[in-house]
Amino acid sequence: MSRASGPLARALAHRAVLLDGGLSNQLAAQGCDLSGGLWSGRVLAERPDQVEAAHTAYARAGAEVLITASYQVGYEAFAAHGHDRAETTALLHRSVHLAARAAEAADHEVWVAASVGPYGAVLADGSEYRGRYGLSVRRLAAFHRPRIEALLAAGPDVLAVETIPDTDEAEALLTVLAETGAPAWLSYTVAAGRTRAGNPLPEAFALATASPQVIAVGVNCCDPADVLPALRAAAAVTAGPLLAYPNDGSVWDAATGTWHTPEAPAPWPLQAWRAAGARLVGGCCRIGPEHIAALGALLPDRRP
């Protein structure tokens, strides 16, 4: 079957859509080496076949949206590892093409979402979980603009603007989106009822929903317990589709490069998320194909 024939926004207006899970954990499960500052970007450069295999695993699990391996890919970070500008652009294009190949081979319609990770992701020091990098909105827009332009040139269905820790970076990204006119979702990473940088959630979601390019807002890479309060805060400022793709409740320790896992699995009150307005649902770090397949079984309205 070919890639999805209509816009993702159109599907979200009528039903739930199942996202994929964490790309890095699936690559690790396949035996890939993610060490070093480039993280999954290293696998994209060195083992593209493994990236396509990871996308395929999620498509086979029923995922209707595949998020590309471009989250960690930035021109400055890759230049520091010996990649010139043309090579980095080619890798951004490759990330979309690999997801598209997996989508085209699926037995159901699949959208390709080009991942636009935050500035902190390319620093590889956990900054995306803090935000407030000390950069102006203008400087952040200048950082994101060439990445977004390169990804759009490869033809994704939508941009996944994800794991955004503060409203300054959201404002910068929305500026670039307005220049391109491309559809995107915007997802904050949150904790304790605020963005990771401490912004009030109603303010953060209102900023995002004011953009005509944004087809859905919500949260990702957070504790599942933080999802429902965030969705309710979003629903208070928008009637549009919401999204949720948390991790498994683990906390990333950037100093040691390890996850601290909770003693017991965190509950996923999916029906409460759906009642709050979540239409785009999936998983982030440490959520694999098996979890996505189980999640899909609980979304009876996800296909027409």
Side-chain angles (χ1 to χ4, degrees):
M1 181 174 284
S2 62
R3 290 218 342 236
S5 56
L8 178 58
R10 184 186 302 164
L12 292 176
H14 301 289
R15 65 181 180 90
V17 174
L18 183 65
L19 275 168
D20 61 6
L23 184 62
S24 61
N25 48 267
Q26 180 58 24
L27 291 172
Q30 293 171 192
C32 298
D33 184 355
L34 279 74
S35 62
L38 299 183
W39 197 38
S40 57
R42 174 180 177 179
V43 186
L44 177 66
E46 298 176 358
R47 295 293 309 276
D49 60 314
Q50 291 296 314
V51 173
E52 184 175 351
H55 289 314
T56 298
Y58 282 115
R60 289 175 176 167
E64 298 175 90
V65 182
L66 300 177
I67 302 175
T68 66
S70 49
Y71 177 86
Q72 200 87 5
V73 182
Y75 287 97
E76 295 87 344
F78 272 66
H81 286 80
H83 296 268
D84 64 26
R85 197 167 187 84
E87 290 171 334
T88 302
T89 297
L91 287 174
L92 289 165
H93 291 178
R94 175 186 287 178
S95 73
V96 176
H97 297 156
L98 292 171
R101 288 215 310 239
E104 288 160 3
D107 64 0
H108 56 279
E109 289 193 325
V110 178
W111 288 269
V112 172
S115 175
V116 180
Y119 175 82
V122 303
L123 300 179
D125 63 357
S127 293
E128 66 262 53
Y129 299 117
R130 298 190 298 271
R132 301 193 183 279
Y133 317 114
L135 301 179
S136 67
V137 170
R138 183 177 178 180
R139 173 68 184 86
L140 288 168
F143 167 80
H144 284 293
R145 186 174 289 110
R147 302 169 70 214
I148 288 175
E149 290 173 347
L151 288 167
L152 289 175
D157 298 301
V158 66
L159 296 174
V161 179
E162 55 182 355
T163 326
I164 306 306
D166 62 41
T167 52
D168 283 351
E169 188 157 23
E171 182 180 347
L173 284 155
L174 293 169
T175 297
V176 179
L177 291 178
E179 295 168 359
T180 66
W185 75 66
L186 193 147
S187 181
Y188 291 100
T189 179
V190 301
R194 290 178 173 263
T195 70
R196 295 281 187 160
N199 307 116
L201 291 183
E203 170 192 319
F205 289 126
L207 175 67
T209 57
S211 168
Q213 282 74 49
V214 174
I215 66 169
V217 297
V219 294
N220 78 291
C221 210
C222 61
D223 192 302
D226 287 315
V227 170
L228 187 57
L231 292 176
R232 288 173 173 164
V237 297
T238 179
L242 306 182
L243 63 93
Y245 53 115
N247 57 37
D248 69 344
S250 297
V251 176
W252 176 249
D253 185 337
T256 61
T258 57
W259 289 96
H260 296 298
T261 305
E263 293 183 5
W268 286 48
L270 180 61
Q271 298 313 314
W273 298 353
R274 293 282 293 112
R279 286 284 178 88
L280 193 57
V281 181
C284 200
C285 300
R286 300 170 66 82
I287 301 298
E290 298 84 0
H291 195 145
I292 295 303
L295 197 61
L298 299 175
L299 292 174
D301 64 333
R302 70 185 178 93
R303 293 183 185 175

